[in-house]
Amino acid sequence: MASGTIAFESHHDHNQCIEQAMDEARSLCKARNQRLTPIRELVLKLVWQSHKPLGAYEILPALAEAGFNSAPPTVYRALDFLQEQGLVHRIALLNAFIGCPHPGKSHHGCFLICRHCNTAVEADSRDAEALISQQASKLGFTTEQQSIEVLGCCPNCREHAEE
Amino acid sequence: MASGTIAFESHHDHNQCIEQAMDEARSLCKARNQRLTPIRELVLKLVWQSHKPLGAYEILPALAEAGFNSAPPTVYRALDFLQEQGLVHRIALLNAFIGCPHPGKSHHGCFLICRHCNTAVEADSRDAEALISQQASKLGFTTEQQSIEVLGCCPNCREHAEE
DNA sequence: TTTTGATTTGTTATAGTATAACGGAACATT
DNA sequence: AATGTTCCGTTATACTATAACAAATCAAAA
Ligand SMILES: [Zn+2]
Ligand SMILES: [Zn+2]
Ligand SMILES: [Zn+2]
Ligand SMILES: [Zn+2]
């Protein structure tokens, strides 16, 4: 399914990525009776400006420009909300946030992060997660949440920088 | 291979864990012609005081007590060295460090982290990593490094806190 | 053994990431 | 309009990590 991997297509119509993400967010929040306030909506849009994970402190100036208060709690609150709603994910290796390309659907994703261009793609990891949970249960461990993050080289960067 | 899973056995002889880790560290560094200086050795020993990941700033006071300088760079340098030598790992979800139970052997490990007691175990994840790399390559992505971290409940805590 | 160059450590300062706490504003309902 | 809840503004602070440079130590060569 391309909804995640489109990020590796360097000339895709990214405006459509953004619009789709915002539309889905609005309808999801409406359905859940959650408030996608102006700040939250703006933060989500900013996170979706690219497929590169964005640090919380990179969001602050844009909030200020838009006339909002711009202190760390503001952006972290918005990010917390968006994470709770499954609209963005946090990438632990980068201390950064990225939009989820298919929110709503309960999914098991891993992140493929390009070391060169920084693009991150959420790929399906259902099978791998099942395997890990199964191995863990053999040790008596009950899995509740998994974080799979992969560093490497994306197809674009491989092509442009043959070594 | 119990070397990793022994951490889930609540009454194991942990002194032996420590001694073995220190012995392996010494011989590995000797073999590689790397200097396991007093600071590095102490930091490693401190990390091995338990099977719970330890924050860098939790190490500092102990360094001070031992008469060493105790500013952040000191401990981070030691941790960097130990990571390069594969003697400790960093857990991104926790910003914390844990001793590797089988250094030297090139291995692919994931961390099973108990939400209740904080114990973390390094389990083999060769198969899962292979699966992920394979899926990633279908998207044109070349894997270089993986980070798999699992949150959940360990056997001891499950037993003691039946819900 | 002395010199020399490389590695390690001490030290100060600062960057980067995230949360606590509390009061006030906006919202949704009664 | 009154009320309780959620959200936001604001200040302060905690936590995590690195930059930069000088001093000390080490290891091998001269
Ligand atoms: Zn896009
Ligand atoms: Zn790339
Ligand atoms: Zn032990
Ligand atoms: Zn536990």
Side-chain angles (χ1 to χ4, degrees):
Chain A
M1 40 132 335
S3 84
T5 71
I6 195 173
F8 283 155
E9 295 164 22
S10 43
H11 298 106
H12 72 273
D13 178 3
H14 187 59
N15 283 332
Q16 205 210 311
C17 292
I18 299 177
E19 279 182 34
Q20 180 178 335
M22 299 312 294
D23 285 347
E24 285 183 3
R26 276 185 282 260
S27 64
L28 256 177
C29 287
K30 190 162 206 174
R32 292 171 180 165
N33 208 26
Q34 296 286 325
R35 293 162 60 190
L36 188 63
T37 64
I39 287 185
R40 292 166 175 173
E41 190 168 342
L42 176 52
V43 168
L44 182 59
K45 192 174 249 172
L46 290 167
V47 166
W48 268 102
Q49 283 313 111
S50 80
H51 291 278
K52 307 180 199 305
L54 200 62
Y57 281 74
E58 298 180 272
I59 296 173
L60 282 177
L63 274 186
E65 262 185 51
F68 292 103
N69 171 47
S70 106
T74 301
V75 68
Y76 279 105
R77 282 173 191 144
L79 288 169
D80 285 348
F81 171 85
L82 296 170
Q83 282 181 269
E84 281 162 15
Q85 299 304 318
L87 297 168
V88 311
H89 298 295
R90 180 174 186 273
I91 305 215
L93 284 179
L94 305 178
N95 295 329
F97 302 83
I98 191 167
C100 175
H102 39 84
K105 301 153 192 71
S106 122
H107 59 279
H108 299 259
C110 69
F111 291 99
L112 310 179
I113 307 159
C114 178
R115 278 200 157 110
H116 305 276
C117 69
N118 224 31
T119 296
V121 157
E122 185 173 344
D124 186 272
S125 58
R126 193 173 307 268
D127 296 345
E129 290 200 19
L131 189 54
I132 290 165
S133 289
Q134 185 184 326
Q135 308 259 120
S137 74
K138 284 184 193 160
L139 307 178
F141 187 91
T142 306
T143 296
E144 290 168 10
Q145 185 191 324
Q146 296 196 24
S147 163
I148 304 180
E149 299 176 356
V150 184
L151 297 176
C153 187
C154 81
N156 293 314
C157 292
R158 172 141 312 282
E159 188 177 339
H160 296 329
E162 296 289 308
E163 337 142 23
Chain B
M1 38 113 252
S3 82
T5 71
I6 195 172
F8 283 155
E9 293 164 23
S10 43
H11 298 105
H12 73 272
D13 178 2
H14 187 59
N15 283 331
Q16 206 211 309
C17 291
I18 299 177
E19 279 181 35
Q20 180 178 335
M22 299 312 294
D23 284 348
E24 285 183 3
R26 277 184 282 260
S27 64
L28 256 177
C29 288
K30 191 161 206 174
R32 293 170 179 167
N33 208 27
Q34 295 288 325
R35 291 162 60 191
L36 188 64
T37 63
I39 288 184
R40 291 165 176 174
E41 189 168 341
L42 176 53
V43 168
L44 182 59
K45 191 174 249 171
L46 290 167
V47 166
W48 267 103
Q49 281 314 109
S50 79
H51 291 279
K52 308 181 198 303
L54 201 62
Y57 281 74
E58 298 180 273
I59 297 173
L60 281 175
L63 275 186
E65 262 186 49
F68 292 103
N69 171 45
S70 105
T74 302
V75 69
Y76 279 104
R77 282 173 190 144
L79 288 169
D80 286 348
F81 171 85
L82 296 170
Q83 282 180 271
E84 281 161 16
Q85 299 304 317
L87 296 167
V88 311
H89 298 295
R90 182 174 185 274
I91 304 210
L93 284 177
L94 305 178
N95 294 329
F97 302 83
I98 191 167
C100 175
H102 40 84
K105 300 152 193 70
S106 124
H107 58 279
H108 299 260
C110 69
F111 291 99
L112 310 178
I113 307 160
C114 178
R115 279 200 156 110
H116 305 276
C117 69
N118 225 31
T119 296
V121 157
E122 185 173 346
D124 186 271
S125 59
R126 192 174 308 268
D127 297 344
E129 290 198 19
L131 190 53
I132 290 165
S133 289
Q134 185 184 325
Q135 307 259 118
S137 74
K138 284 184 195 161
L139 306 178
F141 187 91
T142 307
T143 296
E144 291 168 9
Q145 186 191 324
Q146 297 196 23
S147 163
I148 304 180
E149 299 175 357
V150 183
L151 297 176
C153 187
C154 82
N156 292 315
C157 291
R158 172 142 310 283
E159 188 176 340
H160 297 329
E162 297 290 309
E163 336 143 24

